[in-house]
Amino acid sequence: TPSNSSAASDVYKRQFQHCALGVNRGPKSWGHAVSADMVHWTQLPHAILPYDKGAIWSGTAVVDHNNSLGKQVGDTKTIVAYFTTTWKEGFFQAMAYSTDRGRTYRLHNKGNAVVPNQGVMKGERDPKVFWDANDKKWKMVLIVGGKQRIIRIFESDNMVDWKKAGDITRKWAAECIELFQLPVDGDRDNMKWVITDASFDYEVGRFTGNGFETEGEKLRGDYGKNFYAAQTFNNGPDGRVVQIGWMNDRRKECPFLVKKMPFNQQMAFPTDLTLRTTPDGIRLYRWPVKEIASLYRKTHAFDNITAEAATRALSNVKPELVDLSIEFVPGDEKLTLTVRGIDITYGDIMKLRTAKGVKEVKCFSYNEKTCPAPTIDGKVKLRILADRASMELYANNGLTVTSSYEFDIPENLDLKFSAGRQVKINTLVVNELESSWERQ
């Protein structure tokens, strides 16, 4: 949740679940980091630590803008955190609050439940809390499980006493349920709600206060293998809805551990979320936050260039970290980009399951991964963020995204392009990036 503090570094606040004792699995805590731009982060002392009833799992922190809890001190708004406590007899939802911009937290009622286990699943978890302007109440959504995968809605006036408002059932629902509002095509008179889960299935529709009315089919938010449990910032400046996902890798032989890194796994790059009307209906788009420009070290831009000419023009450009964008007309032939030693080819066919059946579309493919990208007005757009351990592809302005780890850093970092004669590259922009850590 972003803080309302005037301190520049506190514009965005991340409180994240992790093991404080090491890079391996262990009791979870809430870490704490703040940022002015979502690119450069400062890590602070831990926010909430395990206590006698269990570890601290996922949840939400919100700014108590109207002092519902009654704990505000001076002009500094209270931050209220809701989290899952892993009580051995059944997980429950507890609460803590901070009156000093999240620097320290106090457990409410010694960490006892504000929402007890509902008796459906021992592992009920991941409370998402937000202010419902229509009902003028605080709402909480929580996965309580069962065969029907129940998502329970609670409501409260004082942030302490919660009562059931209704249930949503979605067989596709996993953990980390998320609910947020977005304008359609930028029109704030036409707001829609989006419900998602940890695996980033999502639906667009209307939140009724005690349920969710879907206005379309279940859709997929990321086509990669390592994007999970994404959450959005509450109360984002300028009405922005910014999402950060966890790039998970649960293998025992995770390369972060094998390579003896000082951390284990990473977050995906922050993205602005928008809803846009397409011929297939309203769709969720993701796009890297504009603040990434603060990392641009050098930019190379070309118009109406061939693949061969692009390779020659960039022969001396060998970035380890890169933000590359390309728009091209594929015709009936293939285009291959080599970025960080990985060949990304456009022109293969993949099958997508939709409410109307199986649909075949052209895609980008690389290392047994795909990113669907049908032509739009005969053109395809692709943006690639290549980090030291990851590759994130955004096709057609972020209509489809594939986030995946790519651990092998080649000795040869040449950028290469190859294509058939029909392929026309309209624009190509390569931004060499500096590390976001270099200024810390």
Side-chain angles (χ1 to χ4, degrees):
T1 178
S3 165
N4 65 332
S5 167
S6 60
S9 64
D10 267 23
V11 175
Y12 289 90
K13 183 182 295 291
R14 277 173 54 191
Q15 291 168 332
F16 51 94
Q17 174 191 287
H18 79 138
C19 176
L21 302 178
V23 296
N24 292 294
R25 287 178 177 266
K28 300 296 190 295
S29 305
W30 269 23
H32 188 188
V34 293
S35 175
D37 61 5
M38 295 172 286
V39 175
H40 302 90
W41 291 88
T42 299
Q43 190 162 347
L44 301 177
H46 282 72
I48 306 174
L49 296 172
Y51 58 111
D52 59 345
K53 291 181 173 59
I56 311 298
W57 278 22
S58 294
T60 314
V62 294
V63 176
D64 182 8
H65 55 84
N66 55 11
N67 197 25
S68 299
L69 188 63
K71 299 293 186 181
Q72 183 170 322
V73 177
D75 294 330
T76 301
K77 298 294 184 183
T78 306
I79 296 176
V80 186
Y82 295 88
F83 52 88
T84 298
T85 297
T86 59
W87 180 235
K88 61 183 178 180
E89 296 180 8
F91 293 9
F92 61 79
Q93 316 316 309
M95 185 261 278
Y97 64 93
S98 171
T99 58
D100 58 2
R101 296 182 292 120
R103 268 44 180 185
T104 59
Y105 278 87
R106 298 177 185 175
L107 291 173
H108 168 74
N109 191 22
K110 299 180 180 180
N112 287 305
V114 293
V115 176
N117 189 281
Q118 301 294 290
V120 179
M121 175 179 71
K122 180 177 180 179
E124 297 168 3
R125 57 188 179 270
D126 313 324
K128 166 67 178 184
V129 176
F130 58 94
W131 175 253
D132 185 347
N134 287 333
D135 288 353
K136 292 183 171 51
K137 293 180 181 292
W138 293 96
K139 297 293 173 73
M140 176 191 295
V141 291
L142 180 74
I143 185 72
V144 300
K147 290 183 178 180
Q148 298 300 315
R149 303 303 295 167
I150 299 170
I151 303 165
R152 184 147 294 170
I153 306 166
F154 300 87
E155 61 185 19
S156 176
D157 293 312
N158 62 8
M159 308 189 83
V160 173
D161 300 308
W162 294 87
K163 65 178 182 179
K164 177 183 173 181
D167 284 339
I168 305 168
T169 57
R170 292 292 187 277
K171 289 187 176 180
W172 53 261
E175 55 196 349
C176 300
I177 302 300
E178 167 76 301
L179 262 176
F180 52 86
Q181 264 189 309
L182 287 169
V184 179
D185 301 322
D187 180 4
R188 295 204 165 269
D189 292 326
N190 184 18
M191 301 290 290
K192 301 288 184 183
W193 286 84
V194 181
I195 185 170
T196 76
D197 71 343
S199 58
F200 208 178
D201 292 317
Y202 77 91
E203 295 177 2
V204 178
R206 188 171 77 91
F207 177 64
T208 64
N210 59 6
F212 190 89
E213 297 176 355
T214 299
E215 299 177 2
E217 61 186 299
K218 174 180 72 72
L219 299 162
R220 188 173 174 181
D222 193 282
Y223 289 83
K225 297 182 177 181
N226 302 104
F227 192 86
Y228 197 74
Q231 296 287 289
T232 58
F233 287 97
N234 286 302
N235 308 330
D238 303 321
R240 296 167 70 182
V241 177
V242 176
Q243 180 192 65
I244 299 181
W246 166 34
M247 296 190 71
N248 67 330
D249 189 323
R250 302 185 184 187
R251 294 174 293 175
K252 290 183 179 180
E253 296 299 319
C254 173
F256 286 97
L257 300 178
V258 172
K259 296 178 183 293
K260 301 187 184 305
M261 299 291 283
F263 52 85
N264 185 354
Q265 304 170 50
Q266 68 176 64
M267 309 303 284
F269 196 80
T271 54
D272 280 295
L273 301 183
T274 55
L275 287 177
R276 304 185 196 181
T277 303
T278 76
D280 295 321
I282 297 173
R283 295 293 185 266
L284 184 65
Y285 283 66
R286 292 163 55 202
W287 199 243
V289 295
K290 61 186 178 182
E291 288 84 351
I292 192 175
S294 67
L295 300 179
Y296 290 175
R297 186 169 62 194
K298 194 171 183 180
T299 299
H300 313 270
F302 310 92
D303 293 325
N304 301 316
I305 191 171
T306 65
E308 294 79 4
T311 299
R312 290 195 299 271
L314 295 168
S315 60
N316 293 320
V317 179
K318 305 177 189 298
E320 180 187 19
L321 314 174
V322 65
D323 179 359
L324 182 153
S325 296
I326 187 171
E327 177 189 291
F328 62 98
V329 178
D332 295 324
E333 296 185 312
K334 293 187 176 184
L335 168 71
T336 297
L337 304 84
T338 303
V339 180
R340 286 281 308 279
I342 298 168
D343 291 337
I344 303 169
T345 297
Y346 180 78
D348 291 334
I349 301 295
M350 68 178 293
K351 294 182 179 181
L352 295 180
R353 293 188 179 276
T354 70
K356 298 179 181 179
V358 177
K359 179 180 180 181
E360 291 188 345
V361 299
K362 286 188 176 181
C363 66
F364 292 95
S365 55
Y366 63 105
N367 283 0
E368 300 182 351
K369 307 175 187 76
T370 55
C371 184
T375 57
I376 298 177
D377 297 327
K379 298 177 291 187
V380 180
K381 296 181 180 180
L382 177 67
R383 185 174 181 180
I384 302 171
L385 295 189
D387 202 346
R388 181 167 292 177
S390 63
M391 187 85 75
E392 298 177 70
L393 272 61
Y394 303 83
N396 291 333
N397 296 321
L399 173 58
T400 56
V401 184
T402 294
S403 307
S404 294
Y405 282 126
E406 301 294 341
F407 291 103
D408 294 326
I409 302 175
E411 293 183 6
N412 186 342
L413 293 171
D414 289 350
L415 294 171
K416 298 179 182 178
F417 306 83
S418 62
R421 292 184 179 181
Q422 294 181 23
V423 177
K424 298 179 181 179
I425 300 176
N426 295 335
T427 59
L428 173 63
V429 179
V430 177
N431 294 294
E432 299 182 62
L433 303 177
E434 64 183 23
S435 170
S436 64
W437 287 27
E438 290 180 356
R439 299 182 187 178
Q440 299 299 306

